[in-house]
Amino acid sequence: MSKENGRAKRHEKSINLALQGGGSHGAFTWGVLDRMFEEDRLWIEGISGTSAGAMNAVVATQGMYDDGAAGARKALEEFWHAVSIAGQASPIKRSPLDVLFGSWSLDTSPGYIMMDALSRMASPYDLNPLGINPLRDLVEEYIDFNKVANCTDMGLYISATNVETGRARVFKRHEVTLDVVMASACLPTMFKAVEIDGVPYWDGGYMGNPVLFPFIDDSPSDDIVIVQINPLLRPGTPKQARDIQNRLNEITFNASLLRDLRTIDLIHRLIDDGALSDDEYRTMNMHMIDGCDDMLELDASSKVNSEWAFLEHLRDLGREHAGRWLVSHFDKIEVESTLDLRALFGDVEGAHGANIVELRSRKD
């Protein structure tokens, strides 16, 4: 396909996609991608992904190599269907009571309760010394990493957390391997750390969920669309032990994203105030697609529910929310942000103001 300035000629606008992790909830992101790749007016310059977002990203990249946007949509459906089939052999399933009442939760599943209890008492080095991981086998079967490396149509960035330094490492397309994807999705309470070149890595969500700065450094597109599946806001105080743990995990896995967004907001403020030059620093248009109340209704245990009906439900939600976002905001792409960072971080405006004053005084 011929391109001008990194974009196919028939596309009107371009974006970058930043995909969060979240287990089976990544099927919501599948739905968003399915709708985005269906949009002929839109060119996707790059994808950043963590954990389940990393898997969506590499599957889409391989599909792009095979047959462009149509290939990406086909590859994603085949991959998630394979996830569902593999999950049929798992003892972690919904209880008859949850099935009866139409709940996607696994909180009353004996298999889930046992797994959850064991993970709190012993490490994966004790429980799974051989490192058996059916998901690794599935990814190895479905992903041709040579195709991923040679797909020049999109940038690809996968993050993992260096266990020793606590820092995020971002792997670019030509560096992405099976180990990189599994490192990005390595929850330390469930799996042994994944070693890459002798360095141990855990889930990328701890330090980059997902990473945004590769787009600022490398992408020709000024627009970043974050696909958010871990709710930023959950009203009320959790009282039950599992609800507390669920909210704690949401806060933990959103912390790095909020940090990056806060930094981007500060840079924008400094440019607006004249403390930084827009010749040296870049203003990005920030956008977000999330599941709103639909994702709030799902608890943490449903992140390991791989039933096809549930994955289809999440896919349909993702397509619906992406479609609404395109209707409301397509004209604003390459024009302005639709995510109001200043409203998001209104509680720290004073701190930003102090930084601006300090930097201005240094400049003067």
Side-chain angles (χ1 to χ4, degrees):
M1 181 182 297
S2 61
K3 295 191 289 182
E4 285 182 345
N5 298 322
R7 182 194 308 174
K9 287 182 178 179
R10 67 191 176 91
H11 297 282
E12 296 177 24
K13 301 191 176 188
S14 68
I15 58 170
N16 302 290
L17 290 171
L19 315 179
Q20 275 202 327
S24 295
H25 292 187
F28 174 88
T29 303
W30 161 33
V32 173
L33 291 172
D34 189 64
R35 180 64 185 86
M36 290 297 195
F37 280 115
E38 187 181 66
E39 184 60 57
D40 286 339
R41 300 175 297 169
L42 203 57
W43 176 257
I44 298 173
E45 287 286 358
I47 299 183
S48 164
T50 298
S51 196
M55 295 184 188
N56 275 318
V58 296
V59 170
T61 302
Q62 174 175 293
M64 280 288 293
Y65 178 89
D66 285 334
D67 189 23
R73 296 180 65 202
K74 178 181 178 183
L76 284 162
E77 180 169 9
E78 290 177 348
F79 176 78
W80 281 99
H81 192 252
V83 168
S84 175
I85 292 174
Q88 292 175 1
S90 172
I92 304 173
K93 300 181 184 297
R94 282 191 298 165
S95 69
L97 188 64
D98 283 327
V99 173
L100 178 64
F101 286 100
S103 170
W104 298 114
S105 172
L106 276 72
D107 278 346
T108 60
S109 162
Y112 178 79
I113 293 171
M114 180 177 293
M115 179 198 73
D116 186 52
L118 287 174
S119 70
R120 298 174 190 274
M121 295 186 294
S123 85
Y125 293 84
D126 301 319
L127 298 173
N128 187 12
L130 297 179
I132 297 171
N133 186 348
L135 184 58
R136 180 186 179 92
D137 297 335
L138 189 149
V139 173
E140 184 174 23
E141 178 183 354
Y142 272 83
I143 303 300
D144 183 337
F145 287 94
N146 287 324
K147 290 182 178 181
V148 172
N150 287 293
C151 179
T152 58
D153 283 334
M154 289 193 308
L156 175 66
Y157 311 95
I158 304 299
S159 65
T161 302
N162 184 316
V163 177
E164 296 174 331
T165 66
R167 298 174 182 172
R169 175 171 174 186
V170 179
F171 297 85
K172 295 185 179 182
R173 185 183 59 241
H174 65 279
E175 300 173 303
V176 175
T177 64
L178 175 62
D179 281 339
V180 167
V181 175
M182 300 316 299
S184 184
C186 179
L187 289 172
T189 57
M190 298 181 65
F191 303 107
K192 296 163 67 173
V194 178
E195 290 198 3
I196 302 172
D197 298 328
V199 178
Y201 290 94
W202 283 339
D203 194 296
Y206 293 110
M207 294 306 295
N209 193 23
V211 290
L212 305 179
F213 281 90
F215 299 134
I216 299 174
D217 295 334
D218 296 339
S219 176
S221 172
D222 291 330
D223 289 68
I224 301 175
V225 180
I226 301 164
V227 182
Q228 178 84 19
I229 58 178
N230 296 301
L232 288 171
L233 175 65
R234 186 178 288 276
T237 303
K239 303 292 180 63
Q240 301 299 317
R242 283 183 181 165
D243 294 336
I244 293 171
Q245 188 62 45
N246 180 32
R247 186 55 184 155
L248 180 60
N249 287 338
E250 288 175 347
I251 292 171
T252 299
F253 284 112
N254 278 326
S256 59
L257 173 63
L258 290 173
R259 176 202 63 212
D260 288 350
L261 289 175
R262 190 170 280 130
T263 302
I264 290 171
D265 181 40
L266 175 57
I267 291 171
H268 288 180
R269 288 171 181 261
L270 293 172
I271 291 173
D272 290 346
D273 195 64
L276 293 178
S277 168
D278 56 9
D279 292 331
E280 299 179 27
Y281 293 88
R282 188 175 180 186
T283 299
M284 303 297 290
N285 297 320
M286 303 302 302
H287 315 274
M288 182 177 287
I289 298 173
D290 60 30
C292 303
D293 293 342
D294 292 316
M295 300 304 286
L296 277 174
E297 295 175 357
L298 302 175
D299 62 27
S301 69
S302 64
K303 291 181 178 181
V304 293
N305 183 347
S306 59
E307 294 176 59
W308 182 239
F310 182 50
L311 301 182
E312 284 188 307
H313 169 68
L314 290 173
R315 177 205 61 195
D316 292 345
L317 285 177
R319 281 188 55 85
E320 178 184 347
H321 283 277
R324 290 178 187 171
W325 185 87
L326 286 168
V327 169
S328 299
H329 301 306
F330 182 85
D331 291 341
K332 296 178 182 178
I333 297 173
E334 300 183 351
V335 177
E336 62 182 350
S337 294
T338 59
L339 176 62
D340 188 344
L341 296 181
R342 301 196 178 184
L344 188 63
F345 298 117
D347 58 325
V348 293
E349 184 172 353
H352 281 156
N355 286 331
I356 291 172
V357 170
E358 180 183 355
L359 284 173
R360 183 197 294 138
S361 64
R362 290 180 185 176
K363 180 181 177 183
D364 295 340

